[in-house]
Amino acid sequence: MSGRTLAKALTTTAVVLTVIGSITAWFLSYQGYLPGDAMVRTWTAAKDRPTDDTSANNTWVVGDVAVRSRFDAVTGFGIADGQDGKKLWEYVPPGRTRVCGSARHADASVLLVAYGEEGGEFSDPAPRGKGCATVLALDLKDGRELWTAQRKVATGRFDEGSQFMDAGGDIAVIAHDHRDARQARTKDDHTSLRAVDLRTGKPRWTAAMPDKCGTYKVAVGKEQVFAVLECGGKEADEFGIGSTDGAELNMAAFDRATGALNWKIPMDARLPLDLRAMVSIESTDPLVLAVGRSGSLDSGTYLSFGEDGRPRPRIEFTNDHGKIDAADPTQTAIVGERMYALAGWWQKGEHHNLVAFDLTTGETVWKEPLDEPAAALLARGDRITVLVEWSTQASDITDLFVFDAGNGEELDERHFRGEVPGSRFYEHEGRLIAAGSGGGLTFTAFERW
């Protein structure tokens, strides 16, 4: 073989090996097997007992504990270094009662849950012990009961959601309601908000509701306690029959230290919102609500308010940015005066834009089209983490991207080696914590490699 022929053969071989090496490196990187490109599973917590009942299911992370609240138990898992998802404690409600609510915004030492015995549809008022009537404070570290408080309820039905109580800093706020099962006001109606010390349960203050108003949802902010109010409607007559005709939703703020009413305004200054509307309190500092007029959050508007209750420009769920799934809490995040959202659009499959909004103006600050359909986002500090699926026809999360919160610039890209078993996601000490949706896997941790 001549020197020229040998050189050509060696060159060809080198090119082939380079191509093979590049393809192999791309494949290993895409599958999460190269350092600097991967997300690897660190630990998986113990599985839940199987159940078909998903009512009151909730998960959240507080400090170094991941909490799962189901109808039959509340469980804490350790997620600090070395705990590896270890089950720390479990609280089971007494007798035939069931967990019916939880407050996720407590400090790093106490959590609130509520339980009760489900009563009849028109129990008026609900017999003692029925309805979502008992609020319980648990020590986050060991699950120890700190105090209990009885909450006045009008019905034994579990249809009140999880926003009848909240906690923040050193107080817990609980809504009490004496309206009848038909939601009509009664002559002895004295609906109120009551604040207690978060650690001891000792009373702090009681805030009476404005005339002809009842509480719908509450949330504790840094300086004020906020409540969505149901105001108006006809009083119950001597036969206990009333109606919600003429009633509408209002927004109110109470002083956090004293319970004094700071302001109350109609929920929407343009058109009255009747009681069929769906309202979710998305943030308290600043105050941001997701509002759906049709009784769901399939379509609607984000409403934002200043500290004095002055309405800010609204942000529509659907606009040029795409459609935000407001019913899914993994699709949005609020940090300071910005809201970050995944806005979907359809073209031969689902696609998403990552969008940053200025809450003070309602304007889009930046928009970043994503190459893959997105499943969830997380916001921490000056970075936005987005979990994506590999194609518009798949539902398995395969990739993680990190973007600069200021301008939307991509900062990092990672790939998961295996399945990501979760429907809710959290970040803790640089790890991604995935929470399952029901029976089966509870929490799974992933870290960068």
Side-chain angles (χ1 to χ4, degrees), residues 83-102:
Q83 291 183 320
D84 294 343
K86 176 184 177 182
K87 184 176 178 179
L88 301 178
W89 51 264
E90 183 173 71
Y91 171 81
V92 178
R96 295 183 177 180
T97 60
R98 47 192 286 144
V99 175
C100 52
S102 57

Side-chain angles (χ1 to χ4, degrees), residues 45-87:
K47 291 184 177 182
D48 268 339
R49 296 180 297 276
T51 178
D52 294 328
D53 190 337
T54 59
S55 61
N57 277 357
N58 206 348
T59 61
W60 65 98
V61 170
V62 186
D64 290 330
V65 180
V67 180
R68 172 175 292 283
S69 175
R70 301 199 325 177
F71 76 97
D72 56 349
V74 182
T75 311
F77 300 86
I79 58 176
D81 286 341
Q83 291 183 320
D84 294 343
K86 176 184 177 182
K87 184 176 178 179

Side-chain angles (χ1 to χ4, degrees), residues 298-344:
D298 183 61
S299 62
T301 308
Y302 288 100
L303 301 179
S304 180
F305 302 84
E307 291 185 2
D308 58 356
R310 184 172 300 176
R312 293 169 161 181
R314 59 186 60 205
I315 298 171
E316 302 296 331
F317 295 173
T318 303
N319 211 321
D320 294 340
H321 52 253
K323 180 179 180 179
I324 303 169
D325 184 359
D328 185 348
T330 69
Q331 304 298 292
T332 58
I334 296 172
V335 180
E337 296 292 356
R338 284 194 180 179
M339 182 176 79
Y340 303 93
L342 296 172

Side-chain angles (χ1 to χ4, degrees), residues 134-351:
T134 302
V135 176
L136 171 71
L138 300 175
D139 188 285
L140 189 69
K141 295 181 180 179
D142 55 20
R144 174 171 50 93
E145 297 182 37
L146 298 176
W147 53 265
T148 60
Q150 290 301 306
R151 171 177 171 262
K152 301 297 183 180
V153 294
T155 171
R157 294 172 295 170
F158 285 174
D159 58 357
E160 300 172 79
S162 61
Q163 287 188 290
F164 56 79
M165 63 180 181
D166 197 16
D170 61 348
I171 66 168
V173 176
I174 304 166
H176 297 256
D177 194 350
H178 281 200
R179 287 171 301 171
D180 70 16
R182 300 172 183 83
Q183 299 300 301
R185 293 183 294 106
T186 59
K187 293 180 180 180
D188 64 344
D189 184 1
H190 51 284
T191 301
S192 65
L193 286 179
R194 298 180 186 178
V196 301
D197 185 276
L198 185 60
R199 290 292 305 181
T200 67
K202 292 182 179 180
R204 289 284 190 89
W205 48 258
T206 297
M209 292 297 99
D211 185 39
K212 299 182 180 180
C213 292
T215 53
Y216 179 53
K217 294 178 183 290
V218 299
V220 178
K222 294 178 181 178
E223 301 294 335
Q224 301 186 98
V225 174
F226 299 102
V228 179
L229 305 181
E230 300 172 339
C231 298
K234 296 180 179 179
E235 290 187 359
D237 59 21
E238 59 181 319
F239 301 105
I241 299 176
S243 78
T244 58
D245 291 347
E248 69 170 300
L249 296 179
N250 281 243
M251 195 71 221
F254 301 83
D255 186 276
R256 179 191 170 95
T258 66
L261 178 66
N262 289 338
W263 51 262
K264 180 179 80 72
I265 59 173
M267 180 74 67
D268 190 332
R270 297 181 180 180
L271 294 171
L273 271 175
D274 63 33
L275 305 192
R276 293 172 296 181
M278 175 68 72
V279 179
S280 174
I281 302 176
E282 302 293 303
S283 167
T284 57
D285 300 287
L287 178 61
V288 181
L289 311 175
V291 179
R293 288 184 174 273
S294 62
S296 73
L297 292 178
D298 183 61
S299 62
T301 308
Y302 288 100
L303 301 179
S304 180
F305 302 84
E307 291 185 2
D308 58 356
R310 184 172 300 176
R312 293 169 161 181
R314 59 186 60 205
I315 298 171
E316 302 296 331
F317 295 173
T318 303
N319 211 321
D320 294 340
H321 52 253
K323 180 179 180 179
I324 303 169
D325 184 359
D328 185 348
T330 69
Q331 304 298 292
T332 58
I334 296 172
V335 180
E337 296 292 356
R338 284 194 180 179
M339 182 176 79
Y340 303 93
L342 296 172
W345 50 281
W346 186 266
Q347 183 177 346
K348 297 181 179 180
E350 184 76 7
H351 301 268

Side-chain angles (χ1 to χ4, degrees), residues 53 96 112 120-121 153 169 371 379 414 436:
D53 190 337
R96 295 183 177 180
L112 297 181
E121 184 176 2
V153 294
D371 293 331
R414 301 276 173 158

